[in-house]
Amino acid sequence: MADAKVIPFDDDRSRGSRGAGSRRRGGPAESAPVGEGPVGDVQPLPVRGAAAQDPAPGPDESPAPRSAVGDGGGGDQDGGLERRLAAGLSFLRRRLTGDYEVDDFGYDAELTDQVLMSLLRPMYEKYFRVEVKGVENIPAEGGALIVANHSGTLPLDGLMMQVAVHDHHPADRHLRLLAADLVFVLPVVNELARKLGHTLACAEDAERLLAQGELVGVMPEGFKGIGKPFGERYKLQRFGRGGFVSTALRQGAPIVPCSIVGAEEIYPMIGNSKTLARLLGFPYFPLTPTFPWLGPLGAVPLPTKWTIQFGEPIPTDGYAPEAAEDPVLMFNLTDQVREQIQHTLYKLLVQRRSVFF
């Protein structure tokens, strides 16, 4: 594997044009508007029989048993089971025949909603017991850039932030994360990341998503944040050269600061084997109290208690178009976002009762 590298967020180089709109897998080559929902939505099965039209029973009559299908006597539970079974079979049929859509970045909305989020949700709800605050600060529509701290040795914080937006935002919005190129060269991980809507952390892709009205998530600390020693936990690293601010200014998209507490302790990184990192092509090779000493068991994250707080958005639509090229403005806005995230982290840490409870 080639040495991992991070393409600078403000690298505007072209990586080849993509066709506009969505594309259907397995079907004729045709395009649809980006953001259009998956085709073949399952409709509820029609209620059979005349149970819904029966008159109310008289004083000397007993209510007739309700049945969703025929007279089987299973009631609403049987009807709900049948609808779920029909939905599942319909989903499998569409996957097998290729009758589903992905957008130009590989995002599969149907697979994400029905499968991938269901796999992540138990870790989110039961293992890390994530508490979400300030989700109402995320705009209900239009493009916005969510900027968060990064930590934890493995990028589970980005996935948990994605579940938080997906499950708690009142407008049912989806978060599209920007990831380092290492994600897209790892087998299996590459495909799953694309299906979840992740794309390369570069200005070109970020601007396209914002222009389409998407929520875009970025963690400017990159490997410096996720791979920092445990002794530097909750101390934000450098936010690069402010490329994310320039992107937001070009699109007039608000910047929403996000602070995540709890991820720092899932893999306490007490050392870094640089030799193994070079051999494997990784930016670092973590040594924790359990990994690699306990083998695969050492890769299980500690069950810490998480809090994710979204701050008040910082508007950028009031600046002139040429403001995106002003280095002083970019520095000031970058520093403002970083300070807001750091201040919220300290505030959440003071309020936290325990790492695990």
Side-chain angles (χ1 to χ4, degrees), residues 229-276:
F230 186 66
E232 298 180 13
R233 60 192 180 278
Y234 299 115
K235 296 178 182 178
L236 292 184
Q237 305 299 301
R238 183 172 173 267
F239 267 24
R241 293 176 292 174
F244 70 91
V245 171
S246 177
T247 300
L249 286 170
R250 287 193 182 98
Q251 296 299 322
I255 300 173
V256 181
C258 176
S259 303
I260 304 174
V261 165
E264 291 277 15
E265 294 90 359
I266 60 174
Y267 295 111
M269 185 169 165
I270 58 177
N272 176 20
S273 177
K274 296 182 179 180
T275 301
L276 285 176

Side-chain angles (χ1 to χ4, degrees), residues 143-165:
L145 189 66
I146 298 179
V147 182
N149 60 302
H150 205 14
S151 62
T153 304
L154 291 181
L156 298 181
D157 50 358
L159 296 176
M160 295 301 102
M161 182 171 66
Q162 192 171 7
V163 178
V165 174

Side-chain angles (χ1 to χ4, degrees), residues 209-222:
L209 288 171
L210 289 174
Q212 295 166 8
E214 300 281 359
L215 281 181
V216 179
V218 62
M219 295 172 163
E221 292 176 280

Side-chain angles (χ1 to χ4, degrees), residues 9 143-145 206-207 210 241-255 314-334 336-337:
F9 188 75
L145 189 66
E207 287 188 26
L210 289 174
R241 293 176 292 174
F244 70 91
V245 171
S246 177
T247 300
L249 286 170
R250 287 193 182 98
Q251 296 299 322
I255 300 173
I314 300 172
T316 64
D317 54 355
Y319 296 96
E322 59 271 16
E325 308 300 329
D326 184 349
V328 176
L329 176 62
M330 285 194 296
F331 175 81
N332 289 336
L333 285 177
T334 301
Q336 180 182 351
V337 175

